[in-house]
């Protein structure tokens, strides 16, 4: 064996260009080709990863800059929004009077509690649902649906105007801006008329407004899922307009929202109460309850608890008691709409047709309890 065999185990001769005058050399049989290949591959992977990260960062920067130019078509310009006094409070936030670009508007502020109150996944889910719903809402146009002005999600540019100046809002607050309706919600209107009741003609007018609005939403493949008189607003001519059909679906993710305290319980269909799959026919059921409420100017099941209502509606087929003075044509619409079997309930466009066919020329409305007993439904006129 030659002198090179005395080299170390890495195949490089000890002389390796050193002072001994020997010439360094490599023994081919001592080279670890596999190790060199793995080292080369790791080096290439690191170089490729660094380049990819660099490209991603550049792309994100470009998208962010581009996003500033290409806002969602439903987004408002926060600098044009002036938020003033509170007009209502809910489980998720507050509703304020305001002005947007000189328009008289209502502004619903939604606070999802990002600061430690919800997980990142929960916030992401709410934001995705919010974006999806307002994207649909802003395209709708119907006289019985509240006009959507715009929305904004997670911006620090929103502020509330007070007598002492402006108060900034945290970034976790989103807002929905809609037309302001001076008549308040339908529930409050019915409460005001609890003793006097409503003329039959007014009952049918309110019911038709609500039915036409729901029929329109269903034609657009939208299920409201929270139909109740509290979510229906009145304009200055007493026209009913559906509100919150978009936001209600977002808020339904809140486990505290679907409770009797919010006024929702009495309107929920049996399949919803029972935790079964449901579709647009749950809105039809809720409409039937609203129809009874409009006629009676009373709340359904005022003396029953959540568990009592749930059990009775699902297992005992409990429904609000229809007064004897209620015309059969209207009572029939109620009964069909709140049928326990969703398949037997009419579509909302059919409910519209049934209501349009009712003769309102003689009806006087429900008889208040403090009036002499007897049916006066067909007096010429009574009620506002």
């Amino acid at each position: 064996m030659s002198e090179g065999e005395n080299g170390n185990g890495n195949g490089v001769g000890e002389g390796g260009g050193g002072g001994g005058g020997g010439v360094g050399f490599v023994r081919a049989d001592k080279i670890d080709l596999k190790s060199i290949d793995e080292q080369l591959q790791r080096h290439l992977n690191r170089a490729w990863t660094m380049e990819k990260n660099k490209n991603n960062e550049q792309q994100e920067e470009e998208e962010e800059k581009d996003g500033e130019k290409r806002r969602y078509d439903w987004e408002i310009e926060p600098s044009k929004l002036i938020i003033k006094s509170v007009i209502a409070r809910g489980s998720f936030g507050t509703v304020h009077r305001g002005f947007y670009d000189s328009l008289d508007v209502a502004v619903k502020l939604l606070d999802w509690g990002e600061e430690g109150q919800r997980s990142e996944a929960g916030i992401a889910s709410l934001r995705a649902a919010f974006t999806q719903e307002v994207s649909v809402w802003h395209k709708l146009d119907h006289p019985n649906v509240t006009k959507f002005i715009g929305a904004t999600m997670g911006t620090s540019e929103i502020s509330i105007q007070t007598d002492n100046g402006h108060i900034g809002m945290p970034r976790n607050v989103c807002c929905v801006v809609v037309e302001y309706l001076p008549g308040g919600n339908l529930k409050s209107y019915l409460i005001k008329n609890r003793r006097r009741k409503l003329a039959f003609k007014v009952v049918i007018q309110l019911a038709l407004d609500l039915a036409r609005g729901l029929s329109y939403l269903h034609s657009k493949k939208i299920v409201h899922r929270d139909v109740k008189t509290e979510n229906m607003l009145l304009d200055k001519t007493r026209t009913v307009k559906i509100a919150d059909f978009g936001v209600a679906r977002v808020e339904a993710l809140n486990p505290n929202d679907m409770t009797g305290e919010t006024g929702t319980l009495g309107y929920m269909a049996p399949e919803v109460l029972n935790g079964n799959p449901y579709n647009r026919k749950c809105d039809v059921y809720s409409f039937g309850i609203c129809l009874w409420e409009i006629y009676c100017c009373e709340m359904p099941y005022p003396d029953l608890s959540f568990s009592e209502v749930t059990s009775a509606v699902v297992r005992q087929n409990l429904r609000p008691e229809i007064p004897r003075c209620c015309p059969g044509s209207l009572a029939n619409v109620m009964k069909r709409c709140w049928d326990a079997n969703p398949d037997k309930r009419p579509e909302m466009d059919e409910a519209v047709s049934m209501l349009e066919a009712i003769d309102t020329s003689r009806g006087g409305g429900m008889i208040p309890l403090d009036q002499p007993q007897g049916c006066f439904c067909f007096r010429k006129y009574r009620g506002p």
Side-chain angles (χ1 to χ4, degrees):
M1 187 171 289
S2 67
E3 183 180 359
E5 291 181 351
N6 294 326
N8 58 30
N10 62 10
V12 179
E14 289 181 346
V23 178
F25 61 90
V26 177
R27 287 186 51 173
D29 61 334
K30 295 294 185 179
I31 299 176
D32 190 349
L33 296 176
K34 181 178 180 181
S35 175
I36 293 175
D37 186 57
E38 289 175 350
Q39 292 180 34
L40 178 61
Q41 186 63 45
R42 284 196 296 270
H43 173 74
L44 292 175
N45 286 340
R46 283 197 300 270
W48 181 81
T49 300
M50 292 174 64
E51 184 66 21
K52 181 181 178 182
N53 290 340
K54 182 179 179 181
N55 291 337
N56 286 342
E57 290 176 1
Q58 291 177 346
Q59 183 177 356
E60 289 175 1
E61 291 178 0
E62 291 174 0
E63 288 178 352
E64 184 176 348
K65 292 179 180 178
D66 193 36
E68 293 175 358
K69 300 176 183 177
R70 295 186 299 107
R71 302 167 64 92
Y72 287 112
D73 50 4
W74 47 261
E75 280 192 276
I76 61 170
E77 180 59 52
S79 62
K80 296 181 180 180
L81 179 64
I82 299 175
I83 303 175
K84 306 191 77 173
S85 59
V86 175
I87 56 178
R89 297 185 184 276
S91 59
F92 251 69
T94 55
V95 180
H96 296 248
R97 282 290 301 274
F99 295 94
Y100 181 72
D101 203 17
S102 76
L103 294 175
D104 197 4
V105 299
V107 183
K108 185 160 190 176
L109 298 179
L110 304 173
D111 187 349
W112 293 332
E114 294 181 54
E115 299 177 358
Q117 299 180 24
R118 287 181 180 273
S119 66
E120 290 186 7
I123 294 298
S125 177
L126 284 168
R127 287 183 175 277
F130 179 87
T131 301
Q132 180 181 3
E133 296 303 335
V134 297
S135 295
V136 173
W137 194 355
H138 92 285
K139 297 177 182 177
L140 301 179
D141 184 18
H142 191 273
N144 299 118
V145 173
T146 306
K147 181 175 177 56
F148 178 84
I149 306 298
T152 185
M153 181 168 58
T155 174
S156 58
E157 298 178 56
I158 299 176
S159 64
I160 295 179
Q161 181 178 350
T162 69
D163 294 336
N164 299 320
H166 289 76
I167 301 175
M169 302 298 293
R171 289 188 65 87
N172 58 347
V173 171
C174 303
C175 77
V176 177
V177 181
V178 299
E179 65 175 321
Y180 174 71
L181 298 172
N185 66 56
L186 179 56
K187 178 181 178 180
S188 297
Y189 178 74
L190 297 176
I191 290 174
K192 289 178 183 177
N193 289 279
R194 186 173 183 178
R195 286 182 58 82
R196 191 181 181 195
K197 308 304 181 185
L198 298 175
F200 192 51
K201 184 176 295 186
V202 175
V203 169
I204 299 302
Q205 174 248 310
L206 296 173
L208 271 172
D209 285 348
L210 176 52
R212 287 166 177 156
L214 287 173
S215 177
Y216 173 76
L217 292 184
H218 288 185
S219 73
K220 299 297 182 180
K221 310 300 181 185
I222 297 173
V223 182
H224 190 291
R225 304 197 300 186
D226 198 17
V227 174
K228 55 184 178 182
T229 54
E230 190 175 1
N231 278 342
M232 310 303 151
L233 302 178
L234 301 173
D235 69 6
K236 60 183 179 182
T237 64
R238 204 170 55 194
T239 298
V240 175
K241 299 196 176 193
I242 299 174
D244 267 4
F245 69 87
V247 177
R249 297 183 65 175
V250 177
E251 292 185 347
L253 297 175
N254 177 14
N256 297 321
D257 192 55
M258 302 299 278
T259 67
E261 294 178 357
T262 63
T264 302
L265 175 62
Y267 306 89
M268 294 166 68
E271 63 270 23
V272 178
L273 288 169
N274 212 24
N276 297 331
Y278 59 89
N279 57 22
R280 64 188 179 282
K281 291 299 185 71
C282 72
D283 285 352
V284 178
Y285 178 95
S286 302
F287 170 76
I289 302 296
C290 289
L291 187 55
W292 176 91
E293 187 180 351
I294 292 170
Y295 180 76
C296 297
C297 293
E298 299 283 350
M299 290 294 295
Y301 326 119
D303 302 321
L304 298 182
S305 67
F306 180 91
S307 59
E308 289 172 334
V309 171
T310 301
S311 176
V313 168
V314 174
R315 296 180 177 84
Q316 302 169 27
N317 206 34
L318 174 69
R319 301 293 184 272
E321 182 179 355
I322 300 176
R324 287 186 301 170
C325 61
C326 180
S329 55
L330 184 61
N332 179 56
V333 180
M334 295 180 194
K335 292 176 182 177
R336 288 196 58 191
C337 287
W338 66 40
D339 195 291
N341 185 348
D343 295 333
K344 292 185 179 180
R345 299 171 201 159
E347 297 288 353
M348 281 311 307
D349 57 355
E350 184 181 353
V352 170
S353 297
M354 289 189 290
L355 289 170
E356 288 176 337
I358 294 177
D359 180 11
T360 62
S361 61
R362 297 185 300 163
M366 182 181 171
I367 307 303
L369 294 177
D370 57 358
Q371 286 193 8
Q373 293 301 306
C375 186
F376 298 97
C377 289
F378 297 100
R379 293 190 305 176
K380 277 190 176 182
Y381 182 80
R382 188 192 53 70

